[in-house]
Amino acid sequence: MKIISLKEPVVESVRYHASCKACGARLECWGVHGLIGGSLRWDVESVCSGCGQTTADCGQELPARLREQLLADHGPATLQVTGPSVERVTVMRVLRAALGIGLKEAKALVGQVLAGAYLGTLPEMEYLARKLRGAGVDAVAARP
Ligand SMILES: [Zn+2]
């Protein structure tokens, strides 16, 4: 298991194909997703083999399609909370703030997190791990 230092950017990239919206030919796409400077970002560049159109897009909320490609290519990472006496309330508070979720979702999620069963992309898990460590919880992102 590799533990990532606090400041280091965590970036994953993936290459995949899609259909061009303009002409329907095959698009070559390169997607990048990462935790950079403390926030999650993604960008995608594509080139059409038919009409030659190139597009670039980027944002913060990871699109489902790109997320699936990343998980398929790299495999999911887990969030591991390792401290001997973890405060559920603290973990829930961090999850709610980081993910913008309600109390009910956070309650369901904290069980998964503490069981080491919460999965996502490595940058997503590292983002949460850093937020948790910032709140004094011993947490790491790891790829099993
Ligand atoms: Zn095209």
Side-chain angles (χ1 to χ4, degrees):
M1 189 196 301
K2 184 175 179 266
I3 295 173
I4 297 147
S5 82
L6 201 61
K7 295 258 169 67
E8 197 181 327
V10 178
V11 177
E12 286 186 331
S13 62
V14 70
R15 204 175 157 199
Y16 61 97
H17 299 286
S19 306
C20 177
K21 282 195 185 105
C23 74
R26 201 157 102 133
L27 272 184
E28 301 260 351
C29 307
W30 293 268
V32 181
H33 165 55
L35 175 60
I36 299 154
S39 50
L40 288 167
R41 299 206 47 84
W42 62 269
D43 64 81
V44 171
E45 276 179 47
S46 61
V47 182
C48 177
S49 59
C51 66
Q53 190 178 321
T54 62
T55 56
D57 203 0
C58 65
Q60 292 191 308
E61 192 87 11
L62 188 63
R65 174 84 206 260
L66 178 57
R67 190 169 190 271
E68 277 166 30
Q69 293 288 342
L70 285 157
L71 289 172
D73 252 47
H74 296 277
T78 60
L79 181 62
Q80 299 188 337
V81 178
T82 53
S85 57
V86 179
E87 296 263 357
R88 276 178 94 89
V89 178
T90 308
V91 175
M92 273 171 54
R93 197 187 64 220
V94 172
L95 291 173
R96 285 185 68 183
L99 301 172
I101 56 175
L103 191 60
K104 223 170 141 188
E105 289 104 313
K107 261 187 186 157
L109 209 56
V110 75
Q112 281 186 46
V113 169
L114 295 178
Y118 184 56
L119 303 175
T121 68
L122 187 63
E124 285 172 349
M125 295 301 103
E126 180 61 20
Y127 176 72
L128 292 176
R130 287 182 193 185
K131 295 275 182 202
L132 285 166
R133 291 199 296 263
V137 177
D138 235 344
V140 292
R143 181 160 280 142

